[in-house]
Amino acid sequence: ESLTNLKNAPPILAAAPAVFTYQAELIRCEGTASDSDGTILAEYTYEVPLLHVFQSEGTPLETASTPQESQVLAAVQTFNTQFSSWIEPDLSDLTESAQWERAFRAEEGLTFFPYLDELTCTVYQTEHLISVFGNYYTYTGGAHPNTYLLSWNFDLDTGEFFDPELLDEGKYFHSFVQDSLIQQAQETVKEHGVDITEYFWDDYETILADWSSYAVSFDETGMTVAFSPYELAAYAAGPQFFHLSYEQLLPHLGPHGRMLLGLEDAARPAVP
């Protein structure tokens, strides 16, 4: 009877790959650094992403028991390590600089203002991608504060950060974006009624040709290429933003780029 049952038993199926869900959240880290007499030298506020991974039943994955789980946790660690210096900041250089300026201002009879160090981020996530845009604001004395625009793009499948150049599988994506940025720059100066070299640096086309080295981020509407003050134009012109919709980008993306950005369905022709 036992043999009959074995013969009639359903075949043993291989276990399906485990399903994991990634979730990036923004956490806030803030604090101050003080001089020996208690005077605040610097204040910092960092809003940074932290990546978690959950198993199919919704419980956090914290330790690995399979090669797949090891790979998943390695991806999480790679992502979080990128932002660890913001979560546990070393303010020694900032504090030392602020101490020097405080002493200098005291000698000159000037008022000392605490240094400020701030980072704010926005996060866009798809099934395969996490895109982080950061606005880093810092004041360390001088005539004005400085703003630096930052970005990080992470491939959840490979567990690695990637350069937007990797979307250029057919070598057409990069040149299309470059031409689009130049066109948008020319439209900007028309709106201001000035010559383009009065608004942007003389070598603006060379700078735009290297667009993937600047702050490139993605969101629900498309791709944004951003330049901090001084990178493309004078400080007075402020940061410069260039936007391309997914509709514009789609014809110039390869299969991997469409998959990464969640545009596979949009790439398929409509069924009559």
Side-chain angles (χ1 to χ4, degrees):
E1 184 178 354
S2 59
L3 291 176
T4 303
N5 286 340
L6 286 174
K7 291 179 180 178
N8 295 332
I12 299 175
L13 301 178
V19 177
F20 300 99
T21 302
Y22 295 96
Q23 180 178 328
E25 66 167 338
L26 289 174
I27 63 172
R28 186 180 180 90
C29 307
E30 55 187 355
T32 60
S34 300
D35 212 338
S36 56
D37 62 355
T39 299
I40 295 178
L41 295 171
E43 302 175 0
Y44 71 90
T45 303
Y46 304 140
E47 186 182 54
V48 296
L50 186 66
L51 185 60
H52 307 278
V53 61
F54 298 90
Q55 301 176 85
S56 56
E57 67 274 16
T59 58
L61 178 65
E62 297 175 345
T63 58
S65 57
T66 68
Q68 185 184 13
E69 291 177 353
S70 296
Q71 182 179 356
V72 168
L73 289 177
V76 172
Q77 182 178 8
T78 297
F79 183 91
N80 290 336
T81 299
Q82 181 69 46
F83 302 96
S84 59
S85 62
W86 302 94
I87 297 174
E88 297 181 0
D90 179 1
L91 301 179
S92 56
D93 289 343
L94 188 67
T95 301
E96 183 178 346
S97 177
Q99 284 176 320
W100 181 89
E101 181 161 340
R102 183 190 178 204
F104 170 78
R105 285 181 169 270
E107 291 178 1
E108 299 295 322
L110 302 173
T111 302
F112 169 76
F113 297 96
Y115 284 5
L116 299 176
D117 216 47
E118 300 176 353
L119 174 70
T120 57
C121 290
T122 57
V123 177
Y124 173 67
Q125 182 174 344
T126 69
E127 182 180 354
H128 305 282
L129 163 78
I130 297 177
S131 184
V132 181
F133 174 77
N135 187 314
Y136 177 44
Y137 170 95
T138 179
Y139 173 74
T140 55
H144 56 72
N146 289 304
T147 299
Y148 303 93
L149 304 181
L150 309 170
S151 66
W152 301 268
N153 295 295
F154 190 74
D155 187 330
L156 288 168
D157 296 326
T158 64
E160 297 177 347
F161 289 93
F162 69 92
D163 188 303
E165 287 281 4
L166 293 180
L167 302 175
D168 195 8
E169 298 166 70
K171 305 304 177 187
Y172 303 112
F173 180 70
H174 179 95
S175 58
F176 169 75
V177 174
Q178 176 183 337
D179 293 343
S180 298
L181 299 189
I182 292 174
Q183 181 180 355
Q184 288 186 41
Q186 293 170 346
E187 293 171 355
T188 296
V189 296
K190 284 182 181 179
E191 294 174 1
H192 287 81
V194 297
D195 184 76
I196 197 160
T197 55
E198 295 178 47
Y199 192 88
F200 297 114
W201 301 135
D202 291 345
D203 60 343
Y204 80 97
E205 288 194 14
T206 301
I207 298 170
L208 293 178
D210 193 31
W211 61 266
S212 65
S213 298
Y214 294 87
V216 181
S217 59
F218 301 88
D219 62 14
E220 295 86 351
T221 63
M223 184 179 80
T224 297
V225 184
F227 296 83
S228 307
Y230 292 123
E231 289 182 336
L232 187 62
Y235 181 85
Q240 303 296 316
F241 296 90
F242 300 82
H243 185 265
L244 292 93
S245 69
Y246 287 128
E247 184 178 4
Q248 292 173 289
L249 297 178
L250 187 60
H252 308 280
L253 293 170
H256 179 71
R258 294 195 295 269
M259 181 274 295
L260 201 59
L261 298 174
L263 301 175
E264 302 100 320
D265 292 338
R268 298 191 183 104
V271 179

